[in-house]
Amino acid sequence: MKKIFLLAALFLTGIDAAFSQDNFPYNGVRDYRSKSYALINAKIFIDYQTSIDSATLLIKEGKVVNVGKNISIAKEYTVVDCGGKYIYPSFIDLNTNYGFSRLKAGKGSGNPSQVEPEIPGAYNANDAIKSYINASEHFKADKKQAAVYRKLGFGAVLSLNTDGIARGTSTLVLLLDENENESILIEKAAAHYSFNKGTSTQAYPSSMMGSVALLRQTYFDAKWYMETKPYTDLSLQAWIENQRVPQFFDGGNKHGILRADKIGDEFGVQYIINSNGSEYQNIKEIKSTNATLITQVNFPKAYNLDDPYEAKSVSLKQMKHWELAPYNLKILAENNIDFAVSSSGLKSKDDFLRIYSERAVSRLFSQENTIIERRSKKLCN
């Protein structure tokens, strides 16, 4: 089975997209010269296992036209000799809130006396069902954030509302220094769900059992609404329409993956599931779900065991997770589980490549295993 390190697409960053007609007022003189480039003599990686030496990549108006060897180049193309250089497909982060302006909502503490929803309009009776939200309608391009992602090798991201049990649809956007009109690639790319009611101040749900019940009930309500439509419910209408796109579920952890998959099995939905990097702890059960995962590389930091008082507060469970978390991707790959890696969960996006390369690779060396054994003995004593 194909193993995915990161979903990728041939989006080249740093090359402006140009169109034959302006779609937004521009203060200044437009450069209407043809933006066509031929990158020659580069080693080009088509995907994670296919590469072409001394190849040519043709780009016209921000789009890949052709790639390969012995390609004829028209006069309109600006030729750039990339001898000795490598060209890779960019990464795509499938779990971000990049450029998404959160809607104003409550603090999410839960009011025992609040039964009715606070959101005005013909929406669902529960404010945690936000299936009507489309990230594309609230997306705002952010040059500063885009530059951070591009530095890490990302060319596009899936931007979504990370609030609520039903979170509406995400939008796939390019990380360009352009306005929203040119950045949005797919307006409604996927539908998203979670077990966390988020900023809703309603008392229900107040537990994991309640969140599961609300999800299941909404599936049943949507089926009934589609068949009868006795009144207008914009949340259920959006829920029904959102079933046409890929379905993503924020499971949260190894247990959430299994919960989400069980709900999906009940209603005939195969979710793509987000997790936190703990999948290795429950690998056999997770493999049986046949779900594609989006996991993190937010590895735990080393504990300070030099102080005996601090060392006493660190459990063996915490130490084992510190030891084994960087093996997670390797274990997923060995079990033929399709997965993508996200930068979500990191306090600083700049740590994305550094943490993975330093921690995950170092686990392959016996010297690190010796350190782990020494620290484990110190902890147990």
Side-chain angles (χ1 to χ4, degrees):
M1 184 183 295
K2 180 180 178 182
K3 295 175 277 292
I4 304 172
F5 170 64
L6 275 179
L7 295 181
L10 283 171
F11 296 121
L12 292 184
T13 58
I15 298 177
D16 296 331
F19 300 92
S20 57
Q21 185 175 352
D22 291 340
N23 62 3
F24 203 81
Y26 183 80
N27 184 17
V29 179
R30 283 282 194 185
D31 183 357
Y32 288 102
R33 290 176 296 180
S34 175
K35 295 185 178 180
S36 302
Y37 302 89
L39 310 181
I40 65 173
N41 298 325
K43 182 169 184 176
I44 302 177
F45 287 79
I46 306 301
D47 54 38
Y48 74 102
Q49 62 182 358
T50 308
S51 63
I52 307 175
D53 293 323
S54 300
T56 297
L57 178 66
L58 298 184
I59 303 168
K60 185 174 184 178
E61 296 186 346
K63 297 181 180 180
V64 173
V65 176
N66 201 353
V67 59
K69 296 177 72 71
N70 303 320
I71 295 176
S72 59
I73 303 173
K75 292 182 179 180
E76 63 182 292
Y77 284 86
T78 300
V79 178
V80 180
D81 191 343
C82 298
K85 298 185 183 298
Y86 298 80
I87 298 177
Y88 297 90
S90 73
F91 297 150
I92 299 177
D93 197 324
L94 296 176
N95 185 28
T96 80
N97 61 355
Y98 162 74
F100 188 84
S101 300
R102 286 176 174 270
L103 302 179
K104 292 183 179 179
K107 296 181 180 179
S109 58
N111 186 345
S113 62
Q114 183 187 338
V115 178
E116 299 295 325
E118 282 194 343
I119 299 175
Y123 295 104
N124 195 268
N126 196 289
D127 285 339
I129 303 300
K130 303 178 185 294
S131 48
Y132 54 85
I133 292 180
N134 298 311
S136 60
E137 297 173 5
H138 306 277
F139 170 75
K140 184 173 179 57
D142 188 323
K143 293 182 179 181
K144 186 176 180 180
Q145 278 191 354
V148 172
Y149 278 106
R150 290 201 303 266
K151 184 179 178 182
L152 299 175
F154 291 98
V157 297
L158 200 62
S159 178
L160 62 134
N161 165 43
T162 55
D163 179 27
I165 285 178
R167 299 176 167 183
T169 61
S170 58
T171 180
L172 183 65
V173 298
L174 298 174
L175 296 167
L176 305 174
D177 288 336
E178 300 290 343
N179 60 29
E180 294 75 26
N181 305 70
E182 297 184 4
S183 297
I184 294 177
L185 190 64
I186 301 178
E187 182 183 348
K188 296 181 180 180
H192 296 260
Y193 312 86
S194 78
F195 293 117
N196 189 340
K197 73 175 184 178
T199 57
S200 169
T201 56
Q202 284 180 277
Y204 177 74
S206 60
S207 65
M208 177 60 70
M209 183 170 63
S211 296
V212 172
L214 179 58
L215 271 167
R216 295 180 67 247
Q217 186 62 56
T218 308
Y219 270 109
F220 288 123
D221 289 348
K223 184 176 184 299
W224 167 77
Y225 183 85
M226 185 168 53
E227 294 172 350
T228 62
K229 197 178 181 181
Y231 51 81
T232 297
D233 188 318
L234 300 178
S235 301
L236 291 181
Q237 287 182 194
W239 176 291
I240 294 167
E241 294 172 1
N242 293 348
Q243 302 306 306
R244 304 171 184 173
V245 296
Q247 307 291 294
F248 281 60
F249 203 109
D250 188 354
N253 55 37
K254 58 182 180 180
H255 303 300
I257 293 175
L258 302 181
R259 291 192 192 100
D261 185 70
K262 190 172 183 178
I263 294 173
D265 290 344
E266 181 178 1
F267 296 99
V269 179
Q270 181 62 71
Y271 293 117
I272 298 169
I273 306 177
N274 292 312
S275 188
N276 65 349
S278 62
E279 300 85 55
Y280 71 92
Q281 300 175 16
N282 212 17
I283 197 66
K284 290 184 179 179
E285 291 81 359
I286 289 174
K287 179 178 173 60
S288 68
T289 67
N290 294 319
T292 295
L293 304 179
I294 302 172
T295 190
Q296 299 178 358
V297 289
N298 186 24
F299 305 137
K301 295 182 179 180
Y303 298 98
N304 180 13
L305 302 181
D306 293 331
D307 187 325
Y309 293 101
E310 291 188 17
K312 189 176 181 180
S313 66
V314 180
S315 67
L316 183 59
K317 178 181 178 181
Q318 290 174 307
M319 283 294 295
K320 293 301 293 183
H321 182 56
W322 173 84
E323 173 192 355
L324 296 174
Y327 283 117
N328 189 54
L329 303 185
K330 180 175 183 290
I331 293 172
L332 289 173
E334 289 176 343
N335 284 272
N336 295 318
I337 297 174
D338 288 347
F339 66 93
V341 177
S342 172
S343 64
S344 61
L346 294 172
K347 291 184 178 180
S348 173
K349 299 296 182 186
D350 292 335
D351 291 337
F352 177 70
L353 294 178
R354 179 184 62 80
I355 289 178
Y356 177 70
S357 61
E358 290 182 2
R359 291 291 307 283
V361 175
S362 67
R363 288 294 183 266
L364 301 178
F365 296 94
S366 58
Q367 181 181 1
E368 186 68 16
N369 293 329
T370 302
I371 295 174
I372 293 169
E373 291 174 6
R374 185 169 67 249
R375 290 184 174 178
S376 297
K377 289 179 181 177
K378 186 173 182 180
L379 177 65
C380 293
N381 292 334

